[in-house]
Amino acid sequence: MSEAKLIDGNLFSSRLRETIADHVRGLRDHHHVVPGLAVVLVGEDPASQVYVRTKHKRTIEAGMRSFEHTLPADTPEHEVLTLIHGLNNDPEVHGILVQLPLPKHIDSQKVIEAIDPAKDVDGFHPINVGRLASGGDALVPCTPLGSLMLLKDRLGKLAGLDAVVVGRSNIVGKPMAQLLIRESCTVTVAHSQTRDLPGVVRRADIVIAAVGKPEMVRGDWLKPGCTVIDVGINRIELPDGGKKLVGDVNFAEAVKVAGAITPVPGGVGPMTIACLLRNTLVACARQHRLPLKDI
Ligand code: GUN
């Protein structure tokens, strides 16, 4: 049997970023509006520092303004909340992202709920979560949105397909399930307590793996020809002491069974930042009551 097609998230995301940059130019030239994204990082988590640096670079490349706020790990919660109130009231800031995880002494949910829902480009505020669930005009979490774009590009209409989402996090699993319901898929959300996980996954035309467990989904769990979206980014140590990035899917096995699969790296990862820029553009257009074609 032939190997699965690779779903190229680098290529798709760079095209999406070019489209966004075109729209940003249009807003600037015709309406004198420049979308602005504020990113708040508390502490020195190295993975978060890498994400924030990349976000800054991509934001500038798209022609947007980037505002970075880096605070020490022991910043009191009330100072973070005061910063967010300031950003909510800053007309140059259209999107606010607070990098997670936050240090333990800060209540993440309280911080998320302090963000103006209109500027909540992560789509984590309960207002946006509720709108996504009830069919309104939500800002949608970036990783699930990017995953859905890759799926639609590969499969066209998703209506009637069986989708299994492995993982039930607020950041990926739950919003992913909502998006797939909106596309008229038959959706199963599997998790650590699911009985016979391989049997559940084997029914799926679409498998979304978002559990954070390296190479957990095995090739013989998959229905031949299915489409696999691997959201995992796990850094593992090799026997020779080297390090390697792997997903939540055993790629070497899955590529022999699936019809199409996202690699790690180069699959879903680059889509997340592209969708963050997309959400910032959408938020900016809505705040200025300017029309924007669906992107
Ligand atoms: N940390 C890991 N993923 C994300 C994300 O999508 N948004 C934020 N704010 N923090 C994260």
Side-chain angles (χ1 to χ4, degrees), residues 161-166 186-188 197-208 221-228 258:
L161 295 178
D162 280 313
V164 171
V165 180
V166 188
T186 303
V187 181
T188 303
L197 183 58
V200 170
V201 172
R202 218 170 275 128
R203 293 203 301 261
D205 305 303
I206 294 169
V207 178
I208 313 280
W221 296 17
L222 301 173
K223 173 155 97 176
C226 72
T227 303
V228 178

Side-chain angles (χ1 to χ4, degrees), residues 103-120:
K104 286 199 174 48
H105 68 279
I106 299 177
D107 179 346
S108 301
Q109 197 56 29
K110 202 165 167 186
V111 170
I112 288 167
E113 292 186 24
I115 298 171
D116 178 348
K119 298 190 176 187
D120 167 38

